[in-house]
Structure formats: C-alpha cells, structure tokens
Amino acid sequence: MLSSEDNPSQSKNFEFNNYKSLVSAEIELIQRVFEIRHFFSNSPDSERIVQPILQRISKIQSEKLILEKKFNLI
C-alpha cells in the first residue's frame, strides 16, 4: 500500500482537506470572537477571553497562507 508521500495526488488531497479545515476553523473562531464581544460588551473580561482565540486565528492564518501559496490561491 502506498503512503501519502509515495502518492502525490493523495498528499495534495490531504493538504487540501487540511486547508478546508483551517478555513472552517478560522470562520468559526471569528464568529466566536464577535459573539463574545457582543455578549461581554463593556466588560474588561472581553479582551482577556478573546485574546487566546485571536492568537489561534493568527496561527491558522499563517498555516493557511503556506497552503495558499502551495496551491497558487493567492
């Protein structure tokens, strides 16, 4: 049986599925940030809660950028 390294098509398919998962995760996390900011408006806890989520969004965007360059999406 061929591993994904031996089969370029399978490897690209895996990477593209990873890209789709990153896009979905990014959208979901952005929605969560909006919800938190809405429900905790005028609360000092809002930014404390949101900060780790924003850091994760930034990490996802970096991972996405690598794949976007690889697939010539940008």
Side-chain angles (χ1 to χ4, degrees), residues 21-64:
S21 295
L22 290 171
V23 170
S24 294
E26 180 185 22
I27 291 168
E28 185 175 329
L29 289 173
I30 289 170
Q31 289 173 336
R32 296 295 170 256
V33 168
F34 285 130
E35 290 171 2
I36 291 167
R37 285 185 171 156
H38 175 74
F39 291 122
F40 288 92
S41 62
N42 300 324
S43 170
D45 291 333
S46 174
E47 287 308 307
R48 180 183 57 81
I49 295 168
V50 166
Q51 195 57 38
I53 301 170
L54 293 175
Q55 290 171 354
R56 180 62 184 132
I57 291 170
S58 178
K59 193 172 183 180
I60 288 171
Q61 290 170 339
S62 296
E63 293 174 35
K64 272 181 36 194

Side-chain angles (χ1 to χ4, degrees), residues 11-27 60-74:
S11 178
K12 280 194 174 200
N13 190 34
F14 174 79
E15 289 175 331
F16 190 69
N17 284 336
N18 186 32
Y19 176 76
K20 292 188 301 185
S21 295
L22 290 171
V23 170
S24 294
E26 180 185 22
I27 291 168
I60 288 171
Q61 290 170 339
S62 296
E63 293 174 35
K64 272 181 36 194
L65 184 59
I66 293 167
L67 293 172
E68 287 169 349
K69 286 179 181 177
K70 185 171 189 165
F71 289 121
N72 294 319
L73 298 174
I74 55 170

